[in-house]
Amino acid sequence: MSFTTRPEIAGSFGVVASTHWIASAVGMKLLEAGGTAFDAAAGMGFVLNVVEPHLNGPLGDMPALLWPAGDAAPCVICGQGSAPAGATLAHYCAEGLTLIPGSGLLASVVPGAFGAWMAMLRAYGRLPLRDVLGPAIGYAQTGHPLLPSAAAMIATHAGFFARHWPSAAETWLPGGAAPAAGARFANPTLAAFWTRLLAEAETARGRDAQIEAALKAFYAGFVAEAIEAHCAEPAMDGTGMARKGVLNAQDMAVWQPSFEPAIEIETQGWTVWKAGPWTQGPALLQALRMLAQLDLGAPLSDRRVHRIAEVLKCVMADREAYYGDPAQSAVPLQTLLSPAYAAARAAEIGEEAARNPSPGAIDGFAPQTEAFHTRAARLRERAASDPAGPGGGEPTFAHLTNREGDTVHIDVIDRWGNMVSATPSGGWLQSNPVVPGLGVPLNTRAQMFWLEPDLPTSLAPGRRPRTTLSPSMAQRPDGTRLAFGTPGGDQQDQWQLIFLLRLMHEGANLQEAIDGPLFHTQHLQASFYPRGCVPGDLTIETSVPQATLDALAARGHLLTRAEPWSIGRLTAAARRPDGMLAAAATPRLMQAYAMGR
């Protein structure tokens, strides 16, 4: 074993990992109280809404992979809300838009995270709703140490809040000034929102009835009413225009979280599971299929980094051309995940960095490939430095720029073998003005739709945006089960791929695989406004050997040299067939934590 920044946590009772130490501590508390992994994950998710408000919020989104003990494979719960009935191409184009802004009310879809947490608790939890929600209410009411990144985000937007979003200023600028890093920060309005919701839930008798009552209060009660009233008032968005939203109470009332099978592939003795093509998750599976066809060379060699980067360019082009909500569009997933297609795509990989990767050719889908190329040409003309507007941009580099948002992640395994991998996001503090009476803003996931017709990702009422949120599960050849993931927008499956390859090919443990140098490409059609791309980019931590960096540049990669320990926020947990557990969390940003016993 090589040196690691932290130990790989081991035990048999339970393990948790998340992007904030307080959430991890709450997860262990709920396991100790007799809760399942599902109780712990939900409690952690609500706490993350409070302690990482610049990275996720209660009115955001949340896909999760769930693996109940005894089941042969995991399933997916979809907490990705759909577009409102009023979200039509005609309406948005009439507003003068060619892209959906990265912030503002027109970027909002139905908040899905709360419904997904409740559905998870109803199906697989044990603890009363008060026990699960109570820690988050406590931190919202009495305060928590404000993260430096959260304080910087508030300070960056303080002037905009004061001028244009008074409800945001009231929440995030207590006393009229941006709070300091490390200050005790509370959100009493959020605490009151959750307290009222809990009180309405507890008018029902029995745990399941209380969860149903909480769902009713959220999606058909005072929460939905507050959101409708909020969207009826114009608010400044990332384009500098004040616009009303289209989300209303009826959109909230008709939406439901859903359970669906995870998609899977088997490769080199491993099985890997992801959510469907309404996420970017299948890109990881496509990449694994392609890389199985290639000689990767030594760890951290230029051959390995080059081939991974080139494969990622290919699968991200496929993502943009073919992925979308399969409930509304045909998605050729069987072809995309087939060994034959992977072999054909792998044969396209050369020894030099490609500048214009294309989607693979699939019979019957030529119009989508043509649309990809038309859009790519337009996006190349859009400079990567184009202003994203307040709250806009890709939620990947918050720790580098202190400007954009981000996401959080949770992994939990309990003593019985139940497992959760969840990636909550959306509704971050810079995304929208705060909804009066709720203390938190709406999400902006609709920015992932295109305002062009006849695409699987075209804006359409009731359609799920093709989200970047992408939790993962896998099983080793020896039967060890893993839950893992990371925040990072378009980079989520890129970093997870590197992590998984280290487990598969290098014999690394969880912490070693997380600690190793990371890289990714921004040569893709970005999911976030202003949807730019950086042709030829390879962003890579400089802890990679200098000889590798020099060789990659010689292959034609345009290197963006990132400081060591600056990209990626991976966490992971594992359970061996004998019941022994392990967990690990990234040292990057110095806030993620794994715990267990």
Side-chain angles (χ1 to χ4, degrees), residues 330-354:
V331 179
L333 196 59
Q334 185 173 356
T335 297
L336 291 167
L337 297 180
S338 68
Y341 182 82
R345 293 291 270 154
E348 300 171 10
I349 303 298
E351 296 303 316
E352 303 295 321

Side-chain angles (χ1 to χ4, degrees), residues 4 18 74 79 111 147 167 259 265 297 319 396 404 428 440 516 528 560 567 595:
T4 56
S18 82
L147 291 170
S167 62
F259 289 90
I265 65 162
R319 178 198 74 167
T396 303
E404 294 90 6
W428 44 73
V440 287
F528 294 86
T560 300
I567 60 176
M595 299 181 183

Side-chain angles (χ1 to χ4, degrees), residues 17-102:
S18 82
T19 48
H20 197 291
W21 68 91
I22 291 178
S24 296
V26 167
M28 281 305 300
K29 166 187 167 64
L30 295 174
L31 292 181
E32 298 284 0
T36 66
F38 311 105
D39 294 306
M44 294 165 74
F46 290 125
V47 168
L48 288 171
N49 291 164
V50 179
V51 299
E52 296 194 272
H54 57 315
L55 311 181
N56 75 130
L59 305 183
D61 334 280
M62 192 279 293
L65 270 68
L66 317 178
W67 201 337
D71 285 7
C75 64
V76 175
I77 187 164
C78 174
Q80 176 55 67
S82 54
T88 65
L89 289 175
H91 177 75
Y92 280 55
C93 292
E95 289 283 346
L97 297 171
T98 56
L99 292 172
I100 297 176

Side-chain angles (χ1 to χ4, degrees), residues 13 17 44 182 196 207 223 227 317 384 397 408 419 595:
F13 175 81
M44 294 165 74
R196 177 180 175 184
R207 180 180 175 278
V223 179
I227 289 172
F397 299 112
V408 300
M419 300 174 59
M595 299 181 183

Side-chain angles (χ1 to χ4, degrees), residues 477-502:
D478 67 0
T480 297
R481 297 175 175 182
L482 298 98
F484 57 97
T486 179
D490 291 311
Q491 280 64 56
Q492 288 183 30
D493 283 300
Q494 300 193 54
W495 296 332
Q496 290 181 72
L497 175 64
I498 298 165
F499 164 82
L500 194 54
L501 291 172
R502 286 175 178 151

Side-chain angles (χ1 to χ4, degrees), residues 7-394:
E8 181 186 68
I9 300 299
S12 59
F13 175 81
V15 290
V16 301
S18 82
T19 48
H20 197 291
W21 68 91
I22 291 178
S24 296
V26 167
M28 281 305 300
K29 166 187 167 64
L30 295 174
L31 292 181
E32 298 284 0
T36 66
F38 311 105
D39 294 306
M44 294 165 74
F46 290 125
V47 168
L48 288 171
N49 291 164
V50 179
V51 299
E52 296 194 272
H54 57 315
L55 311 181
N56 75 130
L59 305 183
D61 334 280
M62 192 279 293
L65 270 68
L66 317 178
W67 201 337
D71 285 7
C75 64
V76 175
I77 187 164
C78 174
Q80 176 55 67
S82 54
T88 65
L89 289 175
H91 177 75
Y92 280 55
C93 292
E95 289 283 346
L97 297 171
T98 56
L99 292 172
I100 297 176
S103 61
L105 299 175
L106 284 178
S108 297
V109 298
V110 175
F114 184 80
W117 289 127
M118 292 299 104
M120 184 191 305
L121 290 173
R122 181 178 54 202
Y124 301 114
R126 294 184 178 183
L127 297 179
L129 184 56
R130 177 171 290 276
D131 290 1
V132 174
L133 196 50
I137 293 174
Y139 282 112
Q141 183 63 54
T142 64
H144 56 93
L146 189 65
L147 291 170
S149 52
M153 186 69 73
I154 294 170
T156 296
H157 294 284
F160 181 84
F161 292 166
R163 290 190 300 274
H164 300 294
W165 292 355
S167 62
E170 182 180 352
T171 298
W172 310 118
L173 306 174
R184 187 166 186 154
F185 184 84
N187 188 343
T189 305
L190 173 57
F193 155 32
W194 276 337
T195 299
R196 177 180 175 184
L197 186 145
L198 188 58
E200 293 196 15
E202 290 181 337
T203 62
R205 297 184 61 182
R207 180 180 175 278
D208 287 356
Q210 289 180 3
I211 290 173
E212 290 295 332
L215 283 165
K216 183 177 180 180
F218 193 98
Y219 289 99
F222 77 94
V223 179
E225 293 167 359
I227 289 172
E228 179 173 282
H230 179 61
C231 288
E233 297 295 326
M236 189 72 73
D237 64 26
T239 69
M241 296 289 292
R243 296 182 172 95
K244 296 179 182 180
V246 294
L247 180 62
N248 62 34
Q250 179 62 19
D251 297 313
M252 300 277 290
V254 300
W255 183 83
Q256 295 278 339
S258 59
F259 289 90
E260 58 188 59
I263 61 172
E264 68 177 75
I265 65 162
E266 294 184 6
T267 180
Q268 299 174 301
W270 286 67
T271 307
V272 185
W273 289 273
K274 299 290 291 188
W278 52 272
T279 75
Q280 67 175 337
L284 175 65
L285 306 184
Q286 284 192 248
L288 289 169
R289 282 268 193 244
M290 288 181 66
L291 289 167
Q293 308 284 331
L294 299 170
D295 174 15
L296 294 183
L300 297 182
S301 66
D302 67 291
R303 175 189 289 264
R304 176 167 294 201
V305 175
H306 167 74
R307 293 195 166 177
I308 292 172
E310 295 304 293
V311 163
L312 287 169
K313 291 177 185 177
C314 290
V315 301
M316 288 302 184
D318 283 348
R319 178 198 74 167
E320 210 52 50
Y322 300 123
Y323 292 15
D325 186 350
Q328 288 206 9
S329 300
V331 179
L333 196 59
Q334 185 173 356
T335 297
L336 291 167
L337 297 180
S338 68
Y341 182 82
R345 293 291 270 154
E348 300 171 10
I349 303 298
E351 296 303 316
E352 303 295 321
R355 290 296 174 87
N356 296 300
S358 298
I362 299 178
D363 289 344
F365 290 85
Q368 289 171 217
T369 305
E370 293 168 7
F372 171 91
H373 288 297
T374 300
R375 196 163 58 238
R378 186 175 75 247
L379 290 172
R380 286 191 195 97
E381 297 173 0
R382 182 187 295 273
S385 59
D386 272 6
E394 182 172 350

